Structure formats: C-alpha cells, structure tokens
Amino acid sequence: MGGYPMGSPSPAGTGGAPGALPGHVPFQTQPPSLPLNSCLFSNTPQPWRHGTFGRGAGAGGMGATVFVQPLDLVKNRMQLSGEGAKTKEYKTSFHAVRSILRKEGVRGIYTGLSAGLLRQATYTTTRLGIYTILFEQLTKADGTPPNFFMKAGIGMTAGATGAFVGTPAEVALIRMTADGRLPRDQRRGYTNVFNALLRITREEGVLTLWRGCVPTMARAVVVNAAQLASYSQSKQFLLGSGYFRDNIFCHFCASMISGLVTTAASMPVDIAKTRIQNMRMIDGKPEYKNGLDVLLKVIRYEGFFSLWKGFTPYYARLGPHTVLTFIFLEQMNIFYKKFFLSA
C-alpha cells in the first residue's frame, strides 16, 4: 500500500492476484483498520477516509506549524526588508534570526502563531480535503491513479479554493509577523488572530480581510501544482527505484525534492502577496496597485533576485512542514481508528 505503481508483475511463486505486488491486498479487501499511509499520495483509492481526512490534515498542519512558525516569521521579515528602496534591515536569514532574538526575545520569534494555526485550520483543511476527494474520484476502477498532469490540475483547484478560505488568516499572519520590525508608534499591536480579524473588520472594512486574495490564490495554485504533484511523483519515483520503503525517510526525501521545486516557483508570487497584505494606505491611496506592480517595483528598486528574498527559511519550512504534517496526520488517524472506529 502506498506509492507503488499498480499493475506491476508479481514475481513467480509469490501468489496473489495476477499483476499484484508481493503481499499486496486488493483494494476491495482493505479494511479501515489498516495504518494510514499517506493516502493523499497513495496509488490506492481509499474512499472510507473522506469524512475524516480534511479535518485530520488541518489538525496535522496545525501541529507542524508549532515547529515551523519561526521560519515563517523570518521569511516574511526578509520579504519586507528593503521595501521601497530603503536600506535592508537584514543581510541574511541568519542575521534576521539573531536580530529578532536580540530585540524581541524568544516570544518574538513566535509572533503570529495563533494566526498561523488558524491558517492551517482553514487553508490546509480545505486544500487537502478537496485534493484527496478529487484524487480518489479520478482514480480508475482498477486502482490506476491520475497521471502527473491530472494531479497538478487537482492541486491547483484545491489550492485556489483553500487559499480563498484561508486569506483572512493569512492577512492577520502577515501583519502580526511584520509588526515587530516597525517603530512602536506605528505598530498595529494585535494581541491574537481573533483580535486582528475583529480590528481589521472594524477599522478597515470586512473586504480588507481578503486583501491580496488574488496573489494568495495565484501562489496557492503554483505551490499546489508544484508541491502536491511533485511530492506524489517524487515518492512514486523513489519507491519505484527499489532503494526506498514507504516510511518517514522516503517522505522526507520526497518532500525535500518537492520543496526545492515549489520554493523556486512560488517565491515571486509569495513576495507580492506578503507586501500587498502588509501595505498601508498613503494619502488615501494603497502603496501598490496589484501584484504585478509589486513585482515591477521590487525588480526596479531592489534587483531581480530580490524576488527570492527569504529563500532559505522558506525552503527550510516547506519540506519539513510537509513531513511533519503527515507524521501528525498518521498519528491522529491511528488515534481516531483506535478510539472511534473500533467502538
């Protein structure tokens, strides 16, 4: 079970149905009590998980966020550093970490955690829930999974929908993580994500919660097309090589490959999203007209490669976050089956 290609010839003498892998149990006889094995990227359809997968994925993402939130904060600070042709606040990501710890302490590095958790609860639950449903709907009756391009299309659809749902939490996260870099008299001073959402609605209008929605959805399309499809494809390739088993080490390697591709592809869109969601009104006018305006100004005033500011923390976050998300998801699925399905 997992990422092995269906229809591989069974070695002589191993028994089982023609074309089955050694020890492979046909889908129709697999009970819900089997361990979760990254069903999102499995070649075997598992429709019994529809009801719990989205909620479990969101909770798994929240668990992973506790560990990677500092990387998100550093990435956001790097993307805002040097904005508007100002002197860069941070030379490197490591310089940013040292500076934040020195000025704001350990608590400062976790600023915006509540917003990060809400983002996972909304964005990840929607994204992965939709992805797995569409994945299984498009899996053929014989167990053949969707091809690479279909996976990419499913990822784009799931990502864009999840991004729309999660944009309010994203706006709050960007503002909360950026606050510490401002002079005290200019800080917004949100106490938590719910305080941020309430104040944004009251002070700037409810539509401000969806500011930057278009670049957020565009980023999600790029990230999901690259991340979900390349992770699935990388995992299938690694398992097919015969040197890997479907375990945490395989998941780690596949997520690192996927993370590299995803980071390079999505960072220009991500910096546009970050700056639009953090921008202020100047003399009644927004700092940026749209995402394209952000990209053009970054290239003009800061240089072309500034579009990839924060690459190191972004990449360091993306790969481990994927691994941690599925580690938490597997444990919660085991817990669910133990205490609920067995009841």
Side-chain angles (χ1 to χ4, degrees):
M1 186 174 166
Y4 293 101
M6 300 294 293
S8 300
S10 177
T14 60
L21 289 168
H24 175 73
V25 182
F27 162 67
Q28 289 80 359
T29 64
Q30 292 177 347
S33 57
L34 285 175
L36 172 64
N37 192 11
S38 297
C39 63
L40 179 62
F41 304 104
S42 171
N43 282 356
T44 304
Q46 297 149 329
W48 55 269
R49 292 197 179 109
H50 281 324
T52 60
F53 182 79
R55 294 189 296 275
M62 291 171 73
T65 294
V66 174
F67 292 91
V68 302
Q69 174 65 19
L71 295 171
D72 231 0
L73 183 140
V74 172
K75 185 266 295 181
N76 291 338
R77 293 282 183 93
M78 288 293 293
Q79 290 182 331
L80 294 168
S81 177
E83 186 177 16
K86 298 176 184 176
T87 304
K88 290 183 179 180
E89 300 165 73
Y90 311 114
K91 297 176 182 177
T92 65
S93 298
F94 298 106
H95 176 229
V97 172
R98 290 197 302 270
S99 179
I100 294 166
L101 286 174
R102 186 177 67 252
K103 296 178 181 178
E104 303 170 48
V106 176
R107 286 189 64 183
I109 207 76
Y110 269 94
T111 300
L113 177 60
S114 61
L117 293 173
L118 182 61
R119 179 180 64 173
Q120 293 298 326
T122 52
Y123 169 65
T124 301
T125 299
T126 304
R127 173 177 74 113
L128 297 185
I130 290 176
Y131 184 91
T132 192
I133 292 171
L134 293 178
F135 186 97
E136 292 179 356
Q137 290 295 324
L138 293 174
T139 297
K140 295 181 181 178
D142 62 358
T144 304
N147 60 36
F148 180 84
F149 296 103
M150 291 178 71
K151 289 174 188 172
I154 294 170
M156 291 184 207
T157 302
T161 307
F164 180 81
V165 174
T167 294
E170 189 85 37
V171 171
L173 175 64
I174 296 299
R175 293 187 175 194
M176 292 176 74
T177 54
D179 225 25
R181 59 187 283 273
L182 299 172
R184 289 192 178 275
D185 61 332
Q186 295 181 24
R187 294 180 186 178
R188 294 181 170 106
Y190 302 134
T191 55
N192 56 62
V193 65
F194 299 108
N195 174 255
L197 297 176
L198 184 63
R199 281 184 51 192
I200 290 170
T201 301
R202 187 172 61 239
E203 297 168 10
E204 304 173 56
V206 69
L207 292 180
T208 305
L209 294 175
W210 276 270
R211 177 177 287 172
C213 182
V214 173
T216 301
M217 293 175 70
R219 171 191 171 277
V221 167
V222 173
V223 166
N224 284 276
Q227 184 187 52
L228 294 176
S230 63
Y231 182 92
S232 179
Q233 207 70 16
S234 298
K235 182 181 172 185
Q236 283 184 231
F237 173 79
L238 293 174
L239 291 172
S241 70
Y243 295 103
F244 291 83
R245 292 189 175 185
D246 200 351
N247 53 26
I248 291 177
F249 179 65
C250 176
H251 300 166
F252 175 81
C253 293
S255 65
M256 288 294 102
I257 295 171
S258 172
L260 185 63
V261 174
T262 305
T263 300
S266 65
M267 284 217 71
V269 186
D270 191 67
I271 194 172
K273 174 194 74 67
T274 298
R275 294 200 175 182
I276 286 178
Q277 291 177 334
N278 188 61
M279 71 179 178
R280 293 179 181 271
M281 303 297 286
I282 301 176
D283 296 328
K285 295 181 180 180
E287 293 181 69
Y288 304 104
K289 298 176 182 176
N290 49 50
L292 180 60
D293 185 43
V294 175
L295 298 179
L296 292 175
K297 286 182 176 178
V298 169
I299 294 171
R300 180 179 177 183
Y301 296 114
E302 303 169 48
F304 179 74
F305 289 103
S306 291
L307 294 175
W308 284 271
K309 278 182 182 177
F311 186 95
T312 301
Y314 192 97
Y315 179 52
R317 174 193 180 281
L318 202 60
H321 187 272
T322 302
V323 174
L324 289 169
T325 295
F326 284 98
I327 290 175
F328 279 110
L329 178 56
E330 289 185 15
Q331 295 307 309
M332 283 185 297
N333 193 71
I334 291 171
F335 177 86
Y336 176 80
K337 288 180 291 185
K338 181 178 179 181
F339 292 96
F340 293 95
L341 292 184
S342 62

